[in-house]
Amino acid sequence: MTGWDVLDEARTMLRATVAGVPADGWELPTPCQLWNVTHVLQHAALDQEVWAALLGGTQMPGENPFAPSGQLGAEPLAYTDHALDASGPAWTAIGDAAQVPTPLPQGLMAPADAAGAAALDAAIHAWDIAVATGQGSPL
């Protein structure tokens, strides 16, 4: 939990959608052209890790979220949980900051806006995965 309701809900959707992917669903195509379900999951998880690195001053992930390898190196739900667990503390530590760093082109944002942007990213990719794997829309 991050303490930001919109972000917590989106992260819950991402986790639930990943948990709902059938064993043979990881290579299915997604609405994201050129990316299968594994690529989208990797992108979404790495995005959350980038937010954590910028907010919490931790190390950036070793892979580029926009060039996912398609190799998770862990069971998909464990991979997701690792990214979400790594980013949660960064969100809770924001405190009363007026602005926070973001990976977005506009740079600094108000914390609530940044949480909304990170939530949008997680929710959109939960939707991509859900649609690709026949789970319907989690939204």
Side-chain angles (χ1 to χ4, degrees):
M1 301 298 282
T2 67
W4 296 92
D5 292 344
V6 67
L7 183 54
D8 288 339
E9 185 173 331
R11 291 159 53 97
T12 297
M13 280 189 268
L14 179 61
R15 188 181 189 287
T17 302
V18 169
V21 174
D24 63 352
W26 294 102
E27 299 300 318
L28 292 171
T30 69
C32 300
Q33 291 183 8
L34 306 178
W35 286 359
N36 64 25
V37 173
T38 301
H39 289 110
V40 172
L41 167 58
Q42 189 176 27
H43 167 74
L46 289 168
D47 278 351
Q48 295 302 311
E49 289 184 34
V50 168
W51 279 99
L54 290 172
L55 293 172
T58 59
Q59 185 173 354
M60 292 292 261
E63 284 196 62
N64 179 348
F66 294 99
S69 65
Q71 303 298 315
L72 301 180
E75 184 272 329
L77 194 53
Y79 185 84
T80 305
D81 286 343
H82 171 78
L84 298 179
D85 290 348
S87 63
W91 285 102
T92 61
I94 289 174
D96 59 357
Q99 293 191 312
V100 295
T102 76
L104 305 174
Q106 58 268 49
L108 295 174
M109 296 177 85
D113 294 340
L120 180 62
D121 185 78
I124 285 172
H125 296 310
W127 181 87
D128 292 331
I129 293 168
V131 167
T133 59
Q135 296 182 63
S137 175
L139 307 176

